[in-house]
Amino acid sequence: MIELTIHILNYRTPDLTLACLGTLAAERRNYPHFDVILIDNASGDDSVTVLNSALDREGWRDWVRFLPLERNLGFAGGNNYAMRLILEREDGPPFQLLLNSDTLVHADCLRTSIEWMKDHPRTGAFSCMLRNADGSVQNVCRHFPRPDRETLRALGLPYLLPRLFAWADPDDPGWDRETARGRAVDWIGGAFMLVRSDAIRQAGLMDERFFFYGEDCEWCHRLWRHDWEVRFDAVPSITHLGGASSDASRLLDQRRQRLIWRARFQVQRACYGRWAEYWVRFVYVLAFATRLAWLRLSGQQRTPKYQGVRSNLQVLTHSLAAEPS
């Protein structure tokens, strides 16, 4: 019986995707109750050929459904495409997992995560422990970026005066990820996001106005608004290599910068309203302009810090529109 469908988006990462699928193939020995929908998000390289050949060679066709898209739908759009296929089925599985292509699933992760969800029926979305390639902890749990937090963040106060303003640090410091068991958190990243199908039906799919970045934050915010909990547990774990689909060889740095800032302001509008979007953008422009003036007056025009501040200010004072491909 299939009780979990895993959604994996490939965008010009066929080798990483195959490594991920290899760890899932190993998992099937202990937990065979899942299948995979593998989406190629219009990579435009040799991904489709490489993946098709490997699926035949490894004999994975019986549990992996491969769907190449003709257009890059972004993270939200690509995952929604796969999730709709499940939601349209009367016999669809009760759980769906968004899993990045640049992840390696550790032994018994899937079984443990599904058992946790079964034991906690009000949990709408769940994340396990994510580790970097060197085994260190990767932060997957963060505070919601409320306008008050973003205002203080733009001014740098959580980092200059952490004892007073740690509550405004979006990385949600102050607790040990290694020992956390079932902790409620504001939002979790989309690299490993186990979601209950009933929660998706009630709260809706991911917001496709987000092309890349921010969609996971807004989705968790919406799940909480519909009385579904978002939780983290450190026992099941994966390795997340991180940023593979958006590294410099796949996504131009300037476009990536625009996408990050645009997503930050989209989250403000979607979660807190248009006024929040305008206010937060104004505060960041003011903060960067002030820093740039100080760096110029102190003779630091040739430093990397000056160039970074200048680049961000240029992005924020121009259109943040970016092509969807």
Side-chain angles (χ1 to χ4, degrees):
M1 181 186 69
I2 299 300
E3 58 184 7
L4 168 68
T5 293
I6 301 172
H7 307 301
I8 301 175
L9 298 186
N10 175 78
Y11 183 71
R12 301 181 182 178
T13 60
D15 293 337
L16 291 174
T17 299
L18 291 175
C20 176
L21 288 172
T23 63
L24 293 176
E27 275 283 82
R28 289 183 64 80
R29 302 187 190 105
N30 297 321
Y31 180 76
H33 309 298
F34 72 89
D35 57 13
V36 173
I37 296 179
L38 173 60
I39 299 285
D40 181 74
N41 223 348
S43 294
D45 59 2
D46 62 350
S47 287
V48 173
T49 300
V50 171
L51 293 173
N52 267 322
S53 297
L55 292 176
D56 290 332
R57 182 178 66 251
E58 300 292 341
W60 292 342
R61 295 279 186 184
D62 58 333
W63 56 277
V64 179
R65 180 181 180 186
F66 184 36
L67 300 173
L69 301 182
E70 296 182 355
R71 184 169 63 88
N72 186 348
L73 301 180
F75 184 80
N79 277 300
N80 281 354
Y81 185 92
M83 285 189 285
R84 284 191 186 97
L85 297 176
I86 300 303
L87 296 176
E88 289 170 355
R89 290 168 41 190
E90 293 184 0
D91 62 342
F95 303 104
Q96 302 185 52
L97 172 63
L98 277 58
L99 183 66
N100 270 24
S101 63
D102 57 348
T103 58
L104 303 172
V105 177
H106 299 174
D108 220 26
C109 174
L110 297 182
R111 184 188 63 80
T112 304
S113 297
I114 292 296
E115 287 182 356
W116 198 96
M117 290 289 278
K118 289 179 179 178
D119 291 339
H120 300 82
R122 289 312 304 167
T123 298
F126 169 87
S127 178
C128 69
M129 168 69 77
L130 271 65
R131 296 192 180 275
N132 295 304
D134 63 1
S136 59
V137 174
Q138 189 174 115
N139 186 19
V140 69
C141 311
R142 293 180 171 85
H143 280 312
F144 283 131
R146 297 184 326 223
D148 57 342
R149 287 192 177 120
E150 281 294 280
T151 298
L152 295 177
R153 181 187 183 190
L155 299 175
L157 293 179
Y159 317 109
L160 295 172
L161 299 170
R163 289 190 177 183
L164 292 177
F165 298 107
W167 61 269
D169 187 336
D171 287 333
D172 191 10
W175 56 282
D176 184 7
R177 268 73 172 166
E178 292 270 18
T179 60
R181 299 293 181 268
R183 183 184 178 98
V185 296
D186 280 359
W187 68 279
I188 54 178
F192 181 105
M193 186 182 285
L194 179 57
V195 188
R196 198 178 300 270
S197 292
D198 284 345
I200 301 173
R201 292 187 182 96
Q202 185 176 355
L205 293 163
M206 301 182 88
D207 189 339
E208 296 185 20
R209 290 174 296 180
F210 293 86
F211 181 73
F212 204 72
Y213 303 114
E215 58 284 296
D216 40 13
C217 177
E218 187 278 333
W219 205 25
C220 289
H221 191 270
R222 196 162 8 114
L223 286 167
W224 276 111
R225 290 206 316 267
H226 284 82
D227 296 322
W228 290 100
E229 298 172 353
V230 178
R231 292 190 173 267
F232 166 83
D233 193 281
V235 173
S237 64
I238 66 170
T239 294
H240 180 216
L241 302 176
S245 294
S246 59
D247 69 22
S249 66
R250 297 174 176 86
L251 196 64
L252 294 177
D253 286 344
Q254 189 178 37
R255 180 168 176 255
R256 182 175 183 270
Q257 193 177 26
R258 288 201 308 271
L259 286 170
I260 291 172
W261 280 113
R262 183 173 68 169
R264 183 172 294 180
F265 301 135
Q266 281 180 300
V267 167
Q268 292 300 313
R269 177 180 292 198
C271 297
Y272 307 108
R274 190 181 296 267
W275 71 269
E277 175 192 9
Y278 292 155
W279 168 255
V280 169
R281 185 166 182 171
F282 166 75
V283 171
Y284 271 106
V285 169
L286 181 63
F288 280 121
T290 302
R291 289 174 198 165
L292 194 69
W294 182 85
L295 290 169
R296 184 178 297 155
L297 289 172
S298 58
Q300 300 185 53
Q301 291 94 325
R302 298 184 182 276
T303 64
K305 181 183 291 188
Y306 180 90
Q307 296 303 323
V309 172
R310 182 172 179 267
S311 176
N312 277 296
L313 185 59
Q314 287 178 334
V315 169
L316 290 176
T317 53
H318 292 79
S319 172
L320 293 177
E323 315 81 35
S325 62

